[in-house]
Amino acid sequence: MIREFEEAEIDALATGAWILGTGGGGSPYLAQLNLKKLYSDGKRCRLLDPLALDDDDAVAVVSKMGAPLVGQERLVDPAHLARAVRLMEDYTGRKFRAIMSVEIGGGNALSPFLAGAMLDIPVLDADAMGRAYPEAQMTSFAIGDLPMYPLTLVDCRDNEAIVAKAASWKWMERISRQICTEVGSTSATCKAPRTGREVKDWGVLHTVTKAIALGRAVQDARAAHSDPVAAVVGHEGGKVLFRGKVTDIDRTTTGGFLRGMATIGGLDDDNGATLELAFQNEWAVAFRNGAPVAMTPDLICLLDSVSGEAIGTETVRYGQRVTAVALPAPDVLTTAKGIAHVGPRAFGYDIDYKSVFA
């Protein structure tokens, strides 16, 4: 039910979470270094099975918030994540039984471990997306109509903010995003606390374990000199969408998000075709020769064709040899209500959701 999280698991978690991040969640590299430093200093993390929670246990939900590109330049100290958790405890008057991430994608998968190591609070083997998404209303907790407040936010200048109440999940996103933008488009947050019952009913469970297993599959393929992209597809039951070379990238940071389009020229069986990947922090829709071929909530992942390493929306660059793959989405995201929250229209695309796996 609870076990030690071993230092040897850090790299596997980072590799798997970077893939599940669908281009977002922030590169895990700096969080990896931070967590390894905490381990070298003698701190440790424990991983708790969500099914072991009591119904009235309090669970902190943490994340780094902001534009991934900014996160490469202005780092989030583990102490900031820890302070966001303590600020929430001070405000609510309740101590947390465990800490979880709002998303298993990218560097945010390691955020609860950084806070947990600092505070000696177990990390929960769960998240609220099963991937990464850019906005507060794009979580399983929002799909479940759970309370969206309060929220605490901490930045690197000793600014601290509490959103005591919001009229809706979208209002919580707007208010907290505006604060985040004002402090430089990157901050540490503790979202609305969850109970053990809420996590068990609406969380996406055992995703930390899933990310570690996926990362190990990639590591094993590399060690065996086999195809790590094929290992990802085989491990997750995914499909290859396109192989090619990045020929153009249009990217801008605005409103606290990283938005744009990556263009890929086809190679091998896709020679002569073009794939365009539209993104808002994460890859949202893939267009082949102008026609949509994959879309959220299916996971669209861009991988280095040789190493299988995920490529983020902030790290994609001209000339990279890449393979775009699709992975199945968690069931809660593909319900009618889930599609309303995270389908292509939630990102502004007038497209009916059609799964690659239908």
Side-chain angles (χ1 to χ4, degrees), residues 56-120:
D56 60 352
D57 280 340
V59 179
V61 184
V62 301
S63 77
K64 295 177 292 180
M65 185 179 187
L69 190 62
V70 177
Q72 290 192 79
E73 301 172 356
R74 180 176 293 170
L75 312 186
V76 175
D77 192 303
H80 301 156
L81 287 159
R83 179 57 191 149
V85 173
R86 287 298 190 219
L87 183 60
M88 184 65 78
E89 288 184 329
D90 293 343
Y91 180 74
T92 62
R94 294 194 65 192
K95 292 294 183 182
F96 287 116
R97 172 71 177 90
I99 304 176
M100 65 183 288
S101 179
V102 72
E103 59 188 3
I104 193 61
N108 259 334
L110 280 77
S111 291
F113 288 90
L114 297 174
M118 296 288 292
L119 300 172
D120 193 27

Side-chain angles (χ1 to χ4, degrees), residues 110-316:
L110 280 77
S111 291
F113 288 90
L114 297 174
M118 296 288 292
L119 300 172
D120 193 27
I121 300 176
V123 175
L124 206 61
D125 190 1
D127 78 304
M129 295 181 184
R131 45 165 297 159
Y133 275 124
E135 299 187 44
Q137 73 275 12
M138 297 175 174
T139 68
S140 57
F141 298 142
I143 294 168
D145 290 323
L146 301 185
M148 71 295 298
Y149 56 83
L151 173 144
T152 60
L153 183 149
V154 175
D155 82 339
C156 62
R157 301 185 186 88
D158 292 329
N159 292 313
E160 297 179 355
I162 299 172
V163 182
K165 190 173 183 179
S168 67
W169 280 95
K170 286 191 176 182
W171 269 110
M172 175 58 81
E173 168 60 33
R174 289 177 66 179
I175 294 168
S176 58
R177 184 69 56 176
Q178 187 63 43
I179 299 171
C180 179
T181 301
E182 285 298 317
V183 299
S185 290
T186 186
S187 58
T189 68
C190 184
K191 314 296 189 183
R194 303 269 69 102
T195 67
R197 184 73 267 159
E198 287 172 337
V199 171
K200 287 182 281 189
D201 287 347
W202 286 102
V204 185
L205 307 185
H206 304 119
T207 48
V208 173
T209 300
K210 175 180 180 176
I212 293 170
L214 176 57
R216 283 176 170 162
V218 172
Q219 291 174 336
D220 290 346
R222 292 170 182 166
H225 301 290
S226 58
D227 184 357
V229 174
V232 171
V233 172
H235 191 273
E236 293 297 310
K239 292 185 178 181
V240 172
L241 298 175
F242 199 84
R243 292 184 174 88
K245 183 185 81 168
V246 178
T247 58
D248 190 33
I249 176 69
D250 179 15
R251 179 169 48 208
T252 184
T253 298
T254 178
F257 298 108
L258 189 65
R259 301 176 186 268
M261 181 86 73
T263 304
I264 304 166
L267 296 173
D268 303 327
D269 292 343
D270 297 303
N271 188 38
T274 298
L275 190 75
E276 292 180 312
L277 293 177
F279 60 87
Q280 179 185 333
N281 284 11
E282 288 78 31
W283 310 115
V285 182
F287 300 90
R288 183 186 178 107
N289 296 337
V293 293
M295 64 200 69
T296 172
D298 289 353
L299 280 67
I300 301 170
C301 309
L302 193 63
L303 308 177
D304 182 283
S305 292
V306 175
S307 70
E309 187 77 11
I311 297 172
T313 57
E314 79 273 31
T315 59
V316 62

